[in-house]
Amino acid sequence: MHIAIAGNIGSGKTTLTKMLAKRYGWTPRFEPVDNNPYLSDFYADMQRWSFNIQVYFLNKRFKEVVEISQSTDTIVQDRTIFEDAKIFAPNLHAQGMMSDRDFENYSDLFDLMMSLVKLPDLMIYIRTSIPNIVAQIQKRGREYEKSIRIDYLQGLNDLYENWISTYKGNLIIVEGDSVKFENSDRDFRIVTDMIDAKLYGLFPLTSE
């Protein structure tokens, strides 16, 4: 199976990926952040590097999707190919940081890729407010994230909500502001109970 976790920057995707991998014995696939050769340049000058970084992510994510489709493991993935094309690239384009020409080129490439892949077996969306996102970004203290603008994060949040409202696949929404799964066993159980109900029906797996 392919389990995907979606959500804005700082919403807790990586943390939840690690926790679910441990809980269920799934194989985790993490977002390629630290080794991204464009990331620091992008946050310093988004207009110059927007197309480069989006193509980089699209390439990496498509490779992951192909590998996941060929795997016999159940894989839980931190961020998906859909977010790159439905959230991040459109946000850059809408804010004037990606040209029409580059956005059309990028969109054509994504559409071609999507003709070759299928939706995840389960999408988990972590819905998070801007104040919570900002607090999480400050807490983890990544130098290159200090220059992220509030309007950029708000644009992403709006696009996430639009995308998830029309998502056609198997979906769970985790309310990240109130369900503190990273700090509370009870709240983590809320998440796993929703997953169990979606994947395994009325008789969820026990933790024993």
Side-chain angles (χ1 to χ4, degrees):
M1 284 191 296
H2 177 195
I3 314 301
I5 300 180
N8 206 338
I9 300 166
S11 61
K13 298 181 302 300
T14 300
T15 298
L16 186 57
T17 298
K18 292 176 181 177
M19 294 175 73
L20 293 179
K22 181 178 180 181
R23 164 68 175 84
Y24 291 98
W26 294 340
T27 301
R29 297 294 293 264
F30 296 105
E31 184 178 16
V33 172
D34 293 335
N35 296 324
N36 187 324
Y38 294 104
L39 204 57
S40 295
D41 289 330
F42 168 70
Y43 282 128
D45 188 349
M46 289 186 176
Q47 188 166 8
R48 164 62 183 87
W49 295 100
S50 63
F51 181 72
N52 304 70
I53 197 170
Q54 288 306 131
V55 170
Y56 173 86
F57 277 127
L58 191 63
N59 174 46
K60 293 293 184 182
R61 219 84 72 181
F62 183 65
K63 182 180 179 182
E64 280 189 338
V65 169
V66 172
E67 291 173 352
I68 289 169
S69 69
Q70 296 171 345
S71 175
T72 58
D73 295 339
T74 294
I75 292 174
V76 56
Q77 183 187 24
D78 174 3
R79 186 162 280 154
T80 70
I81 194 170
F82 306 99
E83 291 162 88
D84 291 311
K86 301 297 184 182
I87 313 298
F88 286 87
N91 190 46
L92 289 167
H93 180 242
Q95 294 193 1
M97 290 182 282
M98 184 184 290
S99 69
D100 292 343
R101 178 179 60 182
D102 284 348
F103 183 66
E104 289 170 8
N105 188 10
Y106 175 89
S107 298
D108 285 345
L109 182 58
F110 172 76
D111 290 341
L112 174 61
M113 290 177 172
M114 292 319 315
S115 69
L116 303 173
V117 302
K118 64 183 183 70
L119 294 176
D121 297 288
L122 177 63
M123 180 73 73
I124 303 171
Y125 170 55
I126 306 174
R127 174 180 283 142
T128 317
S129 67
I130 295 300
N132 194 29
I133 288 170
V134 171
Q136 288 298 108
I137 289 173
Q138 291 174 340
K139 180 180 177 182
R140 65 191 185 189
R142 292 174 180 167
E143 186 66 29
Y144 56 78
E145 291 182 338
K146 291 181 180 179
S147 61
I148 299 178
R149 292 166 16 195
I150 297 296
D151 63 332
Y152 176 75
L153 293 172
Q154 186 61 61
L156 293 177
N157 246 20
D158 293 343
L159 286 165
Y160 265 109
E161 289 299 316
N162 291 338
W163 169 61
I164 217 68
S165 69
T166 60
Y167 184 75
K168 302 301 183 183
N170 207 14
L171 174 67
I172 287 171
I173 297 178
V174 176
E175 298 295 344
D177 285 4
S178 56
V179 180
K180 302 295 185 180
F181 51 81
E182 69 275 25
N183 298 320
S184 165
D185 291 341
R186 175 183 174 276
D187 285 1
F188 182 52
R189 185 59 184 262
I190 291 173
V191 178
T192 59
D193 281 352
M194 289 193 292
I195 293 171
D196 291 340
K198 280 285 187 180
L199 295 182
Y200 309 113
L202 296 177
F203 301 98
L205 298 176
T206 65
S207 57
E208 289 75 28

